[in-house]
Amino acid sequence: MAVSTNVNAPKPSTGLSAELGKRFRSNIQTYTIILALIAIWILFAVLTNGAFFTAQNVSNLFRQMTVTSFLAIGMVFVIVTGNIDLSVGKLAGFVSVVAAYFQANVWYQMIPDQPLIAAILSVIIGVGVGVLFGVLQGYIIAFLNVPAFIVTLGGMFVLNGLILLVTQGKTIPANQPYFSEIAQGYLPPIAGWIIAAIVVVFLFWNMFRSRQSRARHGFELSNLGLELIVTIFFSLLVIGYVYWVNQYRGVQTPVLLLAITAMIMAYISNNTRFGRYAYAIGGNREAARLSGINIRRSIFLIFILMGLLSGIAGIVLASYVGYGTTAAGQGYELDAIASAILGGTSTLGGVGTVFGALIGSLIMSSLTTGLQMLNVAPAWQYLVKGGVLVLAVYADVYFKKNR
Amino acid sequence: MSEDIILDIRNVTKRFPGVTALDNVSIQIRRGEIHGLCGENGAGKSTLMKILSGVYPHGDYEGTIIYDGKELNLGVGAIRQAREEGIAIVYQELTLVPNMTVGENVFLGKEPVERGAIDWNKLYADTRDILAKYRLEVSPQSVVKYLGVGKMQMVEIAKALSENAKILILDEPTSALTESEIDKLMEILENLRSHGVTCIYITHKLEEFFRITDSVTILRDGRTVATLPTRELTQEKLVSYMVGREMKERFPRSHRKPGEVIFEVNDLHAVDPNETNRKVLNGVTFNLRRGEILGIAGLMGSGRTELVTTIFGEYGKITRGSIKLEGEEIHVSDARDAMHKGISLVPEDRKGQGLVLMQSILKNISLANLDQFSGFMRIDGDAELAAATQQARALAVKAPNLQVRVDSLSGGNQQKVVIAKWLLTNPKILIMDDPTRGIDVGAKYEIYKLMNDLAERGVSIIMISSELEEVLGMSDRIMVMHEGRSTRTLEIAEATQERIMALATGIADELVAA
């Protein structure tokens, strides 16, 4: 019996436009969402007579999206495994009031002359609280078999109570100089350019390295011209962004922090066992179990990770608003879930990307900023956001069916 | 043609890509009889039932079905329509809502309504009447989940009859019942017959045909072999009709010499881990030699899958007996532990248990083996790709590249991906649960050759198969299971289809051998 294997047969590179079409079809979800983002931007640019794209506004827009973006990144992992976390908003809020509490009441007495150490300790305590809460929830979900929806719903109530206990219903300032830099700081323009240069070099290096690796294993290489165009496009995006925010006050510290976190998480999702197992568990729990994957452990770790990211979000939140309040983090979990889903994360599990969640988060925050600039009443802002979320998911369902 | 034929199936053919499930099947069923349907796994019984119940609509098959005087013309998705026409199936896997009462279940979707509200009194009164008429002894107000399987089946029957079913199809109704429940069911069926309800009765337990049916149709390889009045049949005759006589040369044979015994299972008893009073294994004993292919035969529900998943540490709770690997007793805690000990399992349900369908070939092959390619954190993508490529090449997986999603592959190629995943774990013992189910003949042949190669290289293989020919064609020895027990292990030289079938159906071995 003649058995041909064409696993390794290198195919001639196809034409540029044909390949572009193929790529579009295979990643239709990612492209749909990016197109939606661009459409929203253009709409706001027209309606605001260009004010939407001023350096100051762009800078603020990206700064604003950071808190929910940290949550959205973690939420991707949680939803990918087929779970949900409703407590993240309140957890970030609780972390922010704890950080504020220590600044206002503790460091002030213990180490009055050490603002830098105080800031560092605030971060450590805040992130630690996030992780601890993640450990607790993750343990109950993974090892005591209580559904995540219920555990985190309960967690939300508990955290709300804890916030009230810490704040005593009052607002606590969190505005020590170094701590404020975390979410309100800007890099000097030259530092921004150095980072841009590093990113561009990395993009090209990564492209050639992956091509080399594919060639070594005899895989079909995609059109070099196309890959160059994509890489150059992303490079220009980075350069353009740095140029534009430098027109205002420079690259925003929290955005840099978010970019680094997102890159680490994207790497984890693709290149570690932890990440792979998360997708396998969400994709087919039974197959994952029979492949020897320790499902409890994976789920446990996912919720710890979610706690860690909630901790970071809480620190950024405290630094961003400058105080801890009773309403801190209210509703952020819904923004995070919406961002992840807008970005293509499947509520059925198994599918979702960090990159998508960032785009989703950017859409949410663009809508907020744009509608505020147009003086749209908050009531209508909610209506628009809800509509966009459902419409985006419907568009995805529609395209999948009619591909 | 003076007989009153309620259902006349004429020359029905149903093809799937690569397989003809029904080939020119003709059956006539008389009004008011209990008609048995008999055949091996894969003979076409369930395909036929799916046509009658509207899962495969009219036009999806060739041939005609005359039902109650007119052609049966079920539209797409017409399961509901089939029920309204009066054809009802009582599935073995029961389809009741556990938290509802008997009455609510019987009238689910057709509740009697009085001025916009459900008329509960009428609902329960009607339920009571139906139950009484057919002597189904169950209370209309009982909550279904507290009933035993036998009673649940009565509710299913009542539900079908409440829709004025003219034909009741019973698919393996006794497989989960106790002896006394079976007696009760037989009484109910006789009562139904006296009320003029026609039944089609499918079972693997041959003695039941003689107990209850008026006539029996035997299917084999998608064809009708014969329809005979039950009184003209004997068990031996039935078995010989089921298995046929010829055996085609579809199996590559290698000349291997199995080595020493490396794996022993002794008097294994196990219970369902979720319902510890339900026994799934009642004494299984066999051994396996190095480089041997041991076939496990048995009908569905005989405990074959339960046996191998228990060995793999993923199912049954062992209550008695031992498992020895290379002379040492082992206790396998879970799949990961089994893999470390050198046991791998290609599971029964390729899509449900074997693959992450939305992921690429590469990710599926490496899923069970990421430890091999990982340092503390990072997966070495190059090493992963190289190993997966090598496996895919060795198994001749046909795909443009390894980044392709597995759900775009054919069944045979999907199965090769599952096998590739498990071969990458480098097993000493490879358990394959129905490895060629639902794949085409060409891919089957490739998998057979692969199994021979592995056996020659010293891998010991346990193969479960529902196809007798496959078991006979591939195995060095054959262990036959019946009701959770190992009956006998036959050397290939002494094994025949009749003997295996006799052991698997629980008829004494000698009966057929004589």
Side-chain angles (χ1 to χ4, degrees):
Chain A
M1 175 165 287
V3 176
S4 78
T5 173
N6 43 16
V7 165
N8 306 296
K11 277 197 189 145
S13 291
T14 38
L16 191 67
S17 63
E19 182 136 1
L20 202 63
K22 199 177 90 187
R23 219 175 232 236
F24 182 79
R25 276 191 301 280
S26 64
N27 288 313
I28 197 150
Q29 192 154 30
T30 317
Y31 289 99
T32 316
I33 203 71
I34 291 174
L35 287 177
L37 176 65
I38 293 170
I40 288 167
W41 277 356
I42 291 173
L43 185 71
F44 281 135
V46 172
L47 291 176
T48 60
N49 293 320
F52 188 76
F53 275 135
T54 57
Q56 180 179 356
N57 195 52
V58 169
S59 179
N60 285 335
L61 170 66
F62 277 84
R63 210 159 62 92
Q64 260 172 27
M65 74 178 268
T66 51
V67 177
T68 45
S69 294
F70 283 112
L71 300 177
I73 292 172
M75 196 61 78
V76 168
F77 283 82
V78 171
I79 297 179
V80 155
T81 55
N83 286 291
I84 192 78
D85 192 336
L86 299 175
S87 71
V88 296
K90 282 290 170 196
L91 181 53
F94 179 59
V95 167
S96 79
V97 298
V98 168
Y101 179 85
F102 273 88
Q103 286 188 48
N105 303 324
V106 182
W107 311 139
Y108 176 69
Q109 284 152 11
M110 283 172 60
I111 39 172
D113 316 321
Q114 301 286 346
L116 180 62
I117 293 175
I120 292 171
L121 286 174
S122 298
V123 171
I124 292 173
I125 286 176
V127 172
V129 166
V131 170
L132 264 179
F133 205 78
V135 169
L136 180 67
Q137 291 197 130
Y139 180 80
I140 298 172
I141 292 162
F143 294 101
L144 305 183
N145 294 322
V146 184
F149 186 93
I150 292 160
V151 173
T152 59
L153 182 65
M156 196 169 132
F157 284 110
V158 168
L159 287 161
N160 207 6
L162 291 175
I163 289 173
L164 291 174
L165 283 177
V166 173
T167 58
Q168 299 293 327
K170 290 185 240 74
T171 297
I172 310 171
N175 50 12
Q176 289 191 336
Y178 288 102
F179 189 78
S180 295
E181 287 295 308
I182 295 170
Q184 298 181 23
Y186 296 89
L187 300 185
I190 184 72
W193 284 121
I194 292 171
I195 289 168
I198 292 171
V199 172
V200 169
V201 169
F202 171 79
L203 284 174
F204 277 90
W205 174 79
N206 190 41
M207 179 193 113
F208 283 110
R209 199 195 62 97
S210 92
R211 280 183 74 87
Q212 254 177 14
S213 162
R214 287 172 72 81
R216 200 165 52 246
H217 292 98
F219 286 125
E220 181 188 348
L221 288 180
S222 48
N223 187 299
L224 177 64
L226 178 75
E227 284 204 32
L228 273 176
I229 288 173
V230 171
T231 311
I232 289 169
F233 175 77
F234 279 106
S235 303
L236 287 177
L237 219 54
V238 172
I239 292 166
Y241 178 79
V242 171
Y243 169 79
W244 202 235
V245 293
N246 274 351
Q247 299 301 306
Y248 181 57
R249 293 170 70 178
V251 172
Q252 317 88 314
T253 336
V255 174
L256 180 66
L257 203 61
L258 175 64
I260 294 170
T261 311
M263 270 192 287
I264 293 172
M265 297 309 293
Y267 182 85
I268 286 176
S269 75
N270 273 319
N271 300 300
T272 66
R273 277 167 287 182
F274 173 74
R276 290 284 187 83
Y277 290 170
Y279 285 87
I281 290 169
N284 187 342
R285 200 183 173 93
E286 193 67 2
R289 188 171 64 87
L290 289 176
S291 295
I293 292 171
N294 188 335
I295 292 176
R296 290 174 191 278
R297 181 171 170 271
S298 286
I299 304 270
F300 182 51
L301 290 176
I302 294 275
F303 276 92
I304 296 175
L305 179 71
M306 186 73 247
L308 171 73
L309 287 166
S310 303
I312 297 173
I315 295 295
V316 174
L317 174 64
S319 166
Y320 184 80
V321 294
Y323 40 77
T325 71
T326 52
Q330 185 91 46
Y332 285 18
E333 66 284 346
L334 300 180
D335 277 339
I337 294 168
S339 301
I341 289 171
L342 271 178
T345 306
S346 164
T347 47
L348 301 174
V351 177
T353 60
V354 170
F355 179 73
L358 287 183
I359 301 285
S361 177
L362 194 50
I363 287 181
M364 295 297 282
S365 114
S366 298
L367 286 173
T368 310
T369 309
L371 293 170
Q372 275 169 1
M373 290 176 80
L374 293 170
N375 284 321
V376 175
W380 288 98
Q381 293 183 27
Y382 282 117
L383 288 173
V384 170
K385 280 193 196 172
V388 167
L389 176 66
V390 176
L391 192 70
V393 175
Y394 172 69
D396 181 48
V397 171
Y398 179 83
F399 281 127
K400 269 199 188 126
K401 204 170 67 188
N402 296 292
R403 184 151 44 186
Chain B
M1 290 290 282
S2 61
E3 277 178 314
D4 184 8
I5 302 297
I6 186 167
L7 186 70
D8 188 0
I9 299 167
R10 292 182 191 161
N11 306 322
V12 168
T13 298
K14 168 73 186 162
R15 293 176 224 277
F16 293 105
V19 199
T20 305
L22 291 178
D23 189 357
N24 220 8
V25 166
S26 297
I27 303 174
Q28 292 190 327
I29 292 167
R30 281 178 289 124
R31 193 183 299 277
E33 74 165 336
I34 299 180
H35 194 105
L37 200 56
C38 171
E40 273 190 80
N41 303 333
K45 295 175 306 221
S46 48
T47 309
L48 190 58
M49 292 311 112
K50 282 179 179 167
I51 286 177
L52 291 179
S53 61
V55 176
Y56 304 132
H58 183 260
D60 217 24
Y61 54 89
E62 296 155 39
T64 49
I65 297 172
I66 308 292
Y67 164 65
D68 213 10
K70 336 186 271 289
E71 179 162 5
L72 187 67
N73 193 347
L74 299 174
V76 176
I79 300 166
R80 187 78 230 156
Q81 195 191 339
R83 285 219 139 189
E84 279 160 15
E85 295 266 357
I87 302 176
I89 297 200
V90 176
Y91 284 103
Q92 206 256 292
E93 286 304 321
L94 303 153
T95 54
L96 302 172
V97 183
N99 285 320
M100 289 188 175
T101 63
V102 170
E104 284 175 286
N105 268 290
V106 168
F107 280 95
L108 189 63
K110 50 183 180 348
E111 294 84 355
V113 175
E114 179 73 36
R115 270 177 274 130
I118 295 178
D119 186 346
W120 290 108
N121 290 331
K122 180 166 165 45
L123 186 146
Y124 283 114
D126 289 355
T127 307
R128 188 193 56 214
D129 294 346
I130 292 167
L131 293 171
K133 180 176 174 191
Y134 298 104
R135 287 189 221 149
L136 303 166
E137 286 159 15
V138 52
S139 153
Q141 264 96 0
S142 306
V143 175
V144 161
K145 68 175 167 191
Y146 300 120
L147 301 176
V149 187
K151 298 260 182 194
M152 286 193 196
Q153 210 158 43
M154 290 183 198
V155 180
E156 284 271 10
I157 292 172
K159 189 175 166 184
L161 294 170
S162 75
E163 291 166 356
N164 297 315
K166 292 179 197 153
I167 298 186
L168 203 57
I169 300 170
L170 295 131
D171 191 0
E172 303 257 357
T174 58
S175 56
L177 301 188
T178 62
E179 278 304 322
S180 61
E181 284 172 331
I182 292 175
D183 292 342
K184 184 73 208 160
L185 179 71
M186 293 297 155
E187 276 173 40
I188 291 168
L189 289 179
E190 272 162 25
N191 188 256
L192 289 179
R193 177 159 52 192
S194 71
H195 279 88
V197 178
T198 313
C199 290
I200 298 177
Y201 192 91
I202 303 172
T203 186
H204 274 126
K205 298 182 187 166
L206 300 186
E207 70 274 8
E208 288 172 6
F209 287 121
F210 298 95
R211 201 163 155 191
I212 193 73
T213 65
D214 301 298
S215 53
V216 178
T217 296
I218 301 111
L219 289 177
R220 186 176 70 227
D221 300 334
R223 270 173 238 145
T224 18
V225 180
T227 300
L228 291 166
T230 310
R231 61 178 184 282
E232 291 175 21
L233 277 168
T234 61
Q235 292 210 349
E236 299 86 83
K237 230 167 150 178
L238 211 51
V239 168
S240 72
Y241 276 129
M242 278 167 76
V243 298
R245 289 290 168 191
E246 79 286 3
M247 167 103 167
K248 293 164 232 143
E249 251 323 317
R250 298 203 316 252
F251 303 98
R253 264 284 170 195
S254 68
H255 300 284
R256 55 175 177 265
K257 268 206 155 340
E260 76 284 5
V261 169
I262 70 160
F263 187 70
E264 289 165 85
V265 170
N266 210 332
D267 194 30
L268 199 66
H269 287 64
V271 293
D272 186 327
N274 301 315
E275 289 176 65
T276 47
N277 56 359
R278 199 170 83 82
K279 289 179 188 161
V280 291
L281 297 177
N282 306 310
V284 176
T285 302
F286 71 93
N287 63 40
L288 180 68
R289 290 193 277 255
R290 192 180 297 283
E292 179 184 44
I293 299 179
L294 175 76
I296 297 185
L299 300 167
M300 273 178 203
S302 61
R304 306 173 307 183
T305 297
E306 289 80 357
L307 171 65
V308 293
T309 44
T310 301
I311 291 172
F312 197 58
E314 283 291 347
Y315 179 66
K317 193 164 155 248
I318 295 173
T319 51
R320 210 164 94 196
S322 65
I323 302 173
K324 282 184 186 168
L325 178 66
E326 294 173 324
E328 275 179 45
E329 187 161 347
I330 57 168
H331 299 277
V332 179
S333 59
D334 56 20
R336 192 180 198 80
D337 189 28
M339 280 158 56
H340 286 157
K341 292 187 161 86
I343 303 171
S344 286
L345 171 71
V346 175
E348 181 185 27
D349 180 358
R350 183 166 60 239
K351 289 182 180 169
Q353 303 173 312
L355 295 168
V356 184
L357 284 170
M358 64 191 72
Q359 292 190 351
S360 65
I361 299 176
L362 173 68
K363 284 187 177 170
N364 271 286
I365 292 181
S366 63
L367 185 59
N369 305 282
L370 290 174
D371 290 348
Q372 287 178 35
F373 311 119
S374 302
F376 170 64
M377 277 285 280
R378 180 177 164 272
I379 295 169
D380 182 349
D382 283 359
E384 180 192 7
L385 198 54
T389 307
Q390 195 204 338
Q391 283 298 336
R393 198 181 302 176
L395 269 68
V397 176
K398 292 186 199 74
N401 60 59
L402 293 192
Q403 310 295 344
V404 170
R405 282 167 54 139
V406 289
D407 56 6
S408 69
L409 302 178
S410 68
N413 278 303
Q414 287 183 350
Q415 188 68 330
K416 288 183 196 170
V417 172
V418 181
I419 296 173
K421 168 167 93 176
W422 288 111
L423 288 184
L424 205 51
T425 64
N426 207 8
K428 289 177 204 157
I429 295 169
L430 181 64
I431 304 170
M432 304 172 98
D433 193 348
D434 224 347
T436 65
R437 182 167 71 168
I439 67 180
D440 64 73
V441 180
K444 276 188 182 178
Y445 192 84
E446 288 175 36
I447 287 174
Y448 296 146
K449 277 206 306 192
L450 175 77
M451 289 169 69
N452 283 335
D453 290 348
L454 290 170
E456 272 171 53
R457 284 181 0 221
V459 177
S460 307
I461 297 176
I462 296 174
M463 176 187 68
I464 292 180
S465 175
S466 294
E467 288 180 44
L468 283 180
E469 294 183 3
E470 181 175 275
V471 178
L472 284 165
M474 293 306 299
S475 313
D476 296 303
R477 286 183 302 152
I478 298 164
M479 192 267 271
V480 187
M481 290 190 70
H482 176 66
E483 295 187 345
R485 279 178 297 108
S486 53
T487 55
R488 273 186 63 179
T489 301
L490 301 167
E491 293 294 329
I492 190 68
E494 56 173 342
T496 62
Q497 296 204 16
E498 288 79 3
R499 283 189 88 161
I500 294 172
M501 191 52 80
L503 288 167
T505 49
I507 309 171
D509 192 20
E510 288 69 26
L511 245 162
V512 178

